């Protein structure tokens, strides 16, 4: 199967719509919710209703984080541009508008991606239309997610969940939380399963909201589970502990969500590049894409180098999503996309602040905000260092025990 690295024609209307929404609905409220941290961006309700409408009409296939399921249809040998590709393209456009607001969109949480990735058909139907946050990180466990301490013990027809989760994006606003817990700590990573917990379930409570460097429009919550009982049908996927499969079940979520995070970085960096090119032009510096960089001013040469970094991230993002659409194993490519986009996203947004000088640092423009917002995209869903570790293991053919 060959990949065509151009934006598929069939997604042009979707990308165009997402760009309009980003420009006309997200940008105008960007600064407002950067300043009003923890205040719910009520304007998003109308936007979410519009996106629901698009999805129902079929026009919005994959327009958001919930569209990352790998369908089980028989492979007819054809090449498919599907929901994963549509999602990364539309999310990049929305993040050209505002990453924090995109992360606050009702029903588009990372928990929705987890449900789409791991749920069986019955669960998919039961949880349709929910807004789900994703709770993996704990006070003692971040990158080493195989070491989570939160437990789920079967008691009759229910699992009883106990533990503490921190830094849960949309943890307060979402109506459901997908929480990772272990069925048996002695059995290691294979015993880790994800559970869907509805807001209001006794035993689950939001302890506090965090104050942050960037994505301030997005709420980030610490959540306590104390004898929290959920129906046993809320365990996503199979309850079997398959030690041979190891962590693979839970990790499948990341193969779908890492390209999405890459797309957020791609979108935010694009915003910085577009504005900086305009500011340079106003200052009399024209970036000429057809002339060698060393024949242009230092600022233009720097800009061209950033463009090529951006292009690399964009292409890796397309590749990882396209592979998911075509049911090819993409763990390596998902990590490569996330690593490249996370890193160059932070570099580009900060370099744009630098190139624009005092305007870049000032709140009159959004460049300083984008530099703050983009940093998280190199941290959550696996940091830069963790992506590099995963890539090295895969390239060298080493296990997690062999390369730590
Ligand atoms: C705003 C925000 C939103 C978040 N949203 C969510 C969410 O929705 N759900 C959720 O579950 N979590 C979320 N997180 C948590 C995030 O996923 C973790 O912060 C991240 O995985 C890193 O874990 P940690 O903070 O414990 O850092 P650590 O794991 O302690 O790492 C600290 C540093 O050490 C490096 N490091 C760690 N291990 C290695 C190694 N083996 N080799 C080399 N370097 C290493 C890391 O790369 C990092 O630079 C969020 C965090 C933030 C800040």
């Amino acid at each position: 199967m060959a990949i065509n690295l151009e934006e598929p024609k069939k997604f042009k209307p979707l990308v165009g719509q997402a760009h309009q929404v980003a420009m006309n609905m997200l940008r105008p409220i960007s600064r407002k919710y950067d300043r009003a941290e923890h205040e719910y961006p009520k304007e998003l309700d109308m936007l979410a209703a519009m996106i629901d409408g698009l999805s129902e009409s079929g026009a919005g296939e994959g327009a958001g984080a919930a569209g990352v399921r790998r369908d089980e249809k028989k492979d007819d040998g054809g090449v498919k541009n599907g929901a994963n590709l549509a999602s990364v393209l539309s999310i990049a456009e929305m993040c050209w508008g505002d990453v924090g607001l995109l992360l606050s969109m009702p029903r588009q949480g990372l928990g929705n991606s987890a449900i789409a990735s791991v749920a069986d058909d019955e669960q998919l139907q039961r949880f349709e239309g929910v807004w789900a946050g994703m709770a993996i990180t704990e006070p003692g466990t971040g990158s080493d997610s195989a070491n989570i301490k939160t437990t789920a013990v079967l008691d009759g027809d229910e699992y009883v969940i106990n533990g503490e989760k921190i830094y849960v994006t949309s943890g307060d606003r979402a109506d459901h939380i997908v929480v990772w817990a272990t069925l048996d700590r002695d059995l290691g990573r294979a015993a880790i399963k994800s559970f869907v917990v509805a807001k209001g379930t006794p035993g689950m409570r939001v302890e506090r909201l965090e104050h942050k460097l960037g994505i301030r429009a997005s709420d980030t919550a610490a959540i306590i589970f104390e004898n929290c009982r959920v129906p046993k049908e809320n365990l996503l996927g199979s309850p079997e502990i398959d030690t041979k499969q190891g962590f693979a079940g839970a990790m499948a979520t990341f193969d779908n969500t890492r390209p999405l995070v890459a797309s957020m970085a791609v979108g935010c960096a694009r915003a910085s590049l577009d504005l900086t090119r305009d500011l340079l032009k106003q200052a009399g510096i024209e970036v000429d894409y057809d002339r060698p960089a060393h024949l242009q001013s230092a600022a233009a040469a720097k800009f061209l180098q950033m463009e090529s970094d951006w292009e690399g991230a964009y292409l890796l993002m397309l590749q990882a999503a396209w592979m998911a659409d075509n049911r090819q194993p993409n763990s390596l490519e998902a990590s490569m996309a996330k690593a490249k986009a996370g890193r160059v996203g932070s570099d580009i947004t900060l370099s744009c602040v630098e190139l624009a000088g005092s305007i870049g640092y000032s709140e009159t423009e959004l460049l300083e905000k984008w530099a703050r917002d983009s940093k998280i995209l190199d941290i959550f869903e696996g940091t830069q260092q963790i992506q590099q570790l995963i890539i090295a293991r895969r390239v060298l053919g080493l296990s997690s025990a062999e390369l730590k």
Side-chain angles (χ1 to χ4, degrees), residues 110 134-137 141-144 166-169 212 215 220 376 379-386 389 404:
L110 285 170
M134 178 86 179
I136 303 170
T137 308
T141 309
S143 299
D144 51 345
I166 54 171
Y167 283 91
V168 182
T169 298
K212 309 188 295 290
I215 56 162
T220 308
I376 189 57
I379 297 176
F380 68 12
E381 297 287 297
T383 63
Q384 176 65 218
Q385 291 76 13
I386 293 304
L389 197 55
K404 293 186 182 169

Side-chain angles (χ1 to χ4, degrees), residues 95 221 245 380:
C95 291
Q245 203 202 12
F380 68 12

Side-chain angles (χ1 to χ4, degrees), residues 19 69 79 112 159 170 182-183 196 252 306 334 396:
H19 190 79
R69 190 166 177 79
V79 175
N112 289 90
Y159 282 103
S170 302
T182 171
L183 296 181
V196 183
M306 292 196 292
L396 299 172

Side-chain angles (χ1 to χ4, degrees), residues 1 71-80 326-328:
M1 276 197 264
D71 59 45
E72 302 295 331
K73 269 186 230 138
K74 269 216 170 114
D75 197 342
D76 57 6
V79 175
K80 190 175 165 206
N326 287 281
R327 275 159 283 147
Q328 296 182 4

